[in-house]
Amino acid sequence: MAGTGRESSADENADFGDLSDSEFLDFSELGDIEDLGSQSSSSSGNPRKEVDPEGPWKRKREADALTPMERFHLRCLWVSDLSTQCWCEQQMVYGKELPDFQSTEKAAVLGAGASIHLARELELHDLVNIHTSTKEDIWAVKLLNVLSMVPILQSGGTIREFPVFGEVEGVFLVGVIDELHYTSKGELELAELKTRKRPMMPLEAQKEKDRFQVSLYKCIFDAMVRGQVTPASLVHHMKLSPELLLGPQVQSHAQQGGFTVKSFGELLELTFLSLTLSDLPVIDALKIEYSHQETDTVLGTEMVVFEEKQVRDKLQHHLGYWTGLREPHGVDVKEAWKCQMCDYAAICEWRQNGGMRTLTQEEHAKKMTK
Ligand code: SF4
């Protein structure tokens, strides 16, 4: 499988796969519930950069006229960002606005998880580093990865780190599926690996976020193999130029894979033809495996029931923030325990303004009017 060694001039938005979204932070394990005690923040002792607490609000005021998609210069959304939104939308926003604020402990958990994923990927194929200099090159590498994996899946094999992309509910979503394989019954199963620092299963709130993530993968993958994702949609959302010639290393990598393509558009057509003519099935089963980072022991497995309506309703709610229909929400009072393990607790406007209390009052008022 190919990865990009791109130049800094390439568009950041286009590069969704180099850092796989298949292993993002397992928030709950940074302070499991029984360890929370009464501290208000997990920030003590973390050698983080000094951040002007006024910073985000200054930027927010300046940028109020823009939607968050525009403000963060996003052409697409990552599935991982959407699933993080399930945990706490406000926390996800802080993560975007203040990326340097992340605790070193959290960064270490992420790093260890990414290493385990890389090791698993290398069990199935080698990684080739390809020099890219345009966003079309970067997308071309993703498309070549799709092209190389489709025949393996067609012949009943197992693939890892499969890129998925497509418009869902009007927004272009991208992600990377950890693993796809067939079960003994011949069903196509998606397997998502979540590694955990502590040797225990996650809390229900964490599981809910993970279920949403794999359900979104299924929505996108199924649309891809059903021909519902089109080259025009990819070109439109990501502002790509089909006529652009691919870089020499990308062309050479394509040739090694048996594909003679010169322009991005040629590769695009080839990939979508392969996807739609390959007769790949939709995903039948969704599995999440939780394992302990240090010992690599499996802590437990969850089979996820795909409930399309709930998934799409939740997605629409999340997109309401991204498309500027509403302000970000922090956690509800029932989930205030999340704030005690949050890097942003000391600066969180939602928390300081009694957002949790306000929401509860709103809910209470709603209940009274029913
Ligand atoms: S302090 Fe609480 S409400 Fe604020 S970002 Fe963190 S988890 Fe969300």
Side-chain angles (χ1 to χ4, degrees), residues 95-263:
K96 290 256 171 250
E97 289 179 334
L98 303 167
D100 295 330
F101 214 68
Q102 188 182 73
S103 71
T104 46
E105 187 187 358
K106 201 175 275 185
V109 172
L110 275 174
S115 303
I116 292 167
H117 273 270
L118 180 61
R120 280 171 64 101
E121 190 182 355
L122 289 171
E123 285 169 11
L124 288 192
H125 49 232
D126 294 332
L127 282 186
V128 183
N129 206 30
I130 296 174
H131 177 81
T132 57
S133 55
T134 63
K135 60 182 185 287
E136 286 76 10
D137 275 356
I138 293 164
W139 271 94
V141 172
K142 318 297 175 200
L143 298 180
L144 285 168
N145 285 337
V146 170
L147 270 176
S148 69
M149 286 192 255
V150 163
I152 300 173
L153 210 51
Q154 257 181 321
S155 59
T158 296
I159 57 172
R160 288 194 180 143
E161 305 292 317
F162 185 81
V164 285
F165 44 85
E167 187 185 311
V168 185
E169 304 297 327
V171 173
F172 205 74
L173 304 185
V174 294
V176 182
I177 293 177
D178 262 4
E179 181 176 310
L180 286 166
H181 61 233
Y182 293 92
T183 64
S184 53
K185 288 192 217 152
E187 295 175 321
L188 181 60
E189 184 173 76
L190 176 153
E192 172 76 17
L193 172 70
K194 295 286 179 201
T195 64
R196 294 184 53 76
K197 189 173 170 223
R198 293 178 184 233
M200 58 183 73
M201 284 292 276
L203 303 169
E204 187 55 28
Q206 177 71 38
K207 287 186 187 171
E208 193 183 319
K209 163 185 173 296
D210 298 339
R211 288 180 203 123
F212 182 55
Q213 182 178 357
V214 295
S215 298
L216 281 180
Y217 287 147
K218 173 173 163 56
C219 288
I220 308 172
F221 179 88
D222 291 359
M224 285 170 80
V225 299
R226 284 174 173 150
Q228 293 163 346
V229 180
T230 62
S233 158
L234 173 61
V235 165
H236 165 74
H237 282 283
M238 302 309 298
K239 297 192 173 18
L240 299 165
S241 303
E243 69 287 352
L244 209 72
L245 289 182
L246 298 170
Q249 279 203 19
V250 181
Q251 281 197 36
S252 145
H253 182 68
Q255 199 139 32
Q256 281 165 20
F259 313 111
T260 310
V261 283
K262 292 221 175 310
S263 70

Side-chain angles (χ1 to χ4, degrees), residues 88 90-91 94 330-331 338-339 342 345 348 350-351:
C88 173
Q90 182 63 71
Q91 192 184 65
Y94 281 131
V331 295
K338 290 180 179 175
C339 302
C342 175
C348 177
W350 173 271
R351 198 163 182 255

